[in-house]
Amino acid sequence: MATIKDIAEEAGYSISTVSRVLNNDLSLSVPDETREKIYEVAEKLNYRKKTVRLLVKNIAFLYWLTDREELEDVYFKTMRLELEKWAKKCNVELTTYKISDGITSIPDNIEGFIAVGSFSDKELEYLRSRTSNGVFIDTTPDPDHYDSVRPDLAQMTRKTVDFLIEKGHSEIGFIGGTYHNPNTDEDEMDIREKTFRAYMEEKGLLKDEFVFCHRGFSVDNGYHLMINAIEKLGDSLPTAFYTAADPIAVGCLQALNEKGIAIPGRVSVIGINNISIAKYVSPPLTTFHIDLKEICKNAVELLLEQVLEKRKIVKTLYIGSELVIRKSTN
C-alpha cells in the first residue's frame, strides 16, 4: 500500500506538503498545479487514507422556495432536512438564505453554495460574480458553470408509460403542475409533461384531452384537476393516470374515491417520490421512490470536490429511481 512518503518521492514535493494537501489543509498556500499533481500521483499509486473532515465554512444554502411551496410539497422539506443532515455529517457549515432575503443578501466571501429552487438569469449572474463553486439540486439552470444533481424525471416518465402499457392500458392521462419561469414570471410546461407528451405521441397514444395541468404540486391541485377530468370526460375517463408528484396523486385518489370511481378497477394512479403517506392512502399508492438521501449526499460531495480538491470541470448527475408497486395500479 502506498504511503505519503511514496507519493512525496514520485511527485517531487516534501512529505509535509503532500500530507497537508491530502488532508485538505486550507491554510496551506500552494498553486493549484501542485495540488493537482499530488492528487494525480496519489490516485496513480492507489493511495487510501482515513477520511479527515475539516470544517468547511462560508457555504451558502440557497433555499429559493416560499413557505407555501414547502408546505404544499413535503418533497422539498424532506430535501432540506436531509441536506442539512449530510452537511453536518461532512463538517460543512451552511448558512441558509431564502428567496424572501433576495439574492443580494448573499455575501461576497462565500466559498460555494448549494441551491434548491428556480433562479432567474440575473440571479445566476450574481452568483457567478460571487463564487465558481456551486451545486443545484433538482434543476440544471447553469450547466456551463455549476454542478447539478437531480432525479431523472424524464426516465421515470418513460418507465411509467411502459409499465402501464405492459399492464394493458392504452388510455393514459397525465395530471401535473407547471414550471414557473423566473425570467418571464410565466407558467411553462414541466419536464414530466413534456416527456409524457413526446413519449405517448411516439407510441401513437397521446390524447390532448387526457392532459390536465395547473400551477402547483399540492394535494388540493390534484383534487381539483381530477374533479375537472371526471366532469369533462365522464365515461371517457382514461383507465390510468400518471401524476407529477405524490401530493397531486393523493388529491386524485380523494377525488376518485369521492366520486365512487374504483381504484384500480376503473382507474389506476401512479405518483412520484414515495412520500411517507403514500403507503397509507386508500388504496396505497404506486409511486417512484426518489432517494433524497443519495441526492443530498452527492450534492455535498460534489461541492467538496470543487472547494477542497479544486475540481474545475462541471458535472451534471442524474439519480435513478425505483418503482414501488402498490394497490393503486393493476
Side-chain angles (χ1 to χ4, degrees), residues 225-274:
L225 287 174
M226 181 58 82
I227 290 291
N228 185 19
I230 293 168
E231 292 176 349
K232 179 181 176 182
L233 298 173
D235 292 339
S236 299
L237 197 68
T239 61
F241 275 98
Y242 167 50
T243 66
D246 281 359
I248 290 178
V250 171
C252 290
L253 294 178
Q254 289 178 354
L256 291 165
N257 284 323
E258 184 179 294
K259 294 295 184 178
I261 298 172
I263 314 163
R266 173 61 179 85
V267 175
S268 291
V269 177
I270 293 182
I272 288 182
N273 191 30
N274 196 28

Side-chain angles (χ1 to χ4, degrees), residues 20-203:
R20 291 174 70 183
V21 167
L22 292 178
N23 284 287
N24 300 318
D25 185 346
L26 298 181
S27 67
L28 177 64
S29 178
V30 295
D32 287 345
E33 292 78 7
T34 300
R35 292 182 186 275
E36 290 167 6
K37 177 66 174 178
I38 291 171
Y39 287 132
E40 182 184 320
V41 172
E43 184 175 355
K44 175 184 174 184
L45 298 180
N46 199 28
Y47 173 73
R48 294 291 180 269
K49 68 180 181 67
K50 293 181 180 178
T51 302
V52 179
R53 297 287 189 184
L54 297 179
L55 178 62
V56 179
K57 298 182 179 181
N58 297 328
I59 301 300
F61 175 35
L62 312 184
Y63 195 61
W64 241 235
L65 297 164
T66 64
D67 291 339
R68 180 176 179 179
E69 285 173 322
E70 181 182 70
L71 183 65
E72 289 183 342
D73 194 343
V74 69
Y75 173 78
F76 290 109
K77 181 178 181 180
T78 306
M79 178 189 292
R80 174 175 61 80
L81 296 174
E82 193 66 46
L83 182 65
E84 290 170 350
K85 184 178 80 175
W86 273 101
K88 185 176 181 180
K89 186 174 182 178
C90 294
N91 219 12
V92 174
E93 189 177 84
L94 291 179
T95 301
T96 301
Y97 299 88
K98 293 191 173 183
I99 190 170
S100 56
D101 299 323
I103 198 72
T104 55
S105 65
I106 300 165
D108 58 9
N109 67 336
I110 61 170
E111 289 287 336
F113 67 83
I114 296 176
V116 177
S118 298
F119 294 81
S120 68
D121 290 342
K122 286 185 178 180
E123 289 171 327
L124 293 173
E125 184 179 357
Y126 184 87
L127 288 175
R128 289 195 293 269
S129 73
R130 289 296 180 262
T131 180
S132 60
N133 302 321
V135 181
F136 289 92
I137 298 180
D138 221 42
T139 61
T140 310
D142 196 358
D144 290 331
H145 298 95
Y146 295 117
D147 290 357
S148 64
V149 54
R150 56 190 300 183
D152 195 342
L153 296 175
Q155 178 63 6
M156 285 181 226
T157 303
R158 290 187 289 266
K159 285 172 70 174
T160 296
V161 172
D162 289 339
F163 171 79
L164 291 172
I165 290 174
E166 287 172 9
K167 291 291 184 179
H169 296 279
S170 57
E171 303 284 290
I172 304 170
F174 177 84
I175 292 183
T178 56
Y179 164 71
H180 176 248
N181 188 324
N183 293 309
T184 63
D185 199 31
E186 298 288 336
D187 291 340
E188 297 180 1
M189 197 180 293
D190 177 76
I191 182 62
R192 283 155 284 199
E193 182 185 352
K194 285 182 181 177
T195 307
F196 177 81
R197 286 180 174 276
Y199 200 53
M200 287 289 286
E201 187 168 20
E202 183 182 317
K203 300 286 186 182

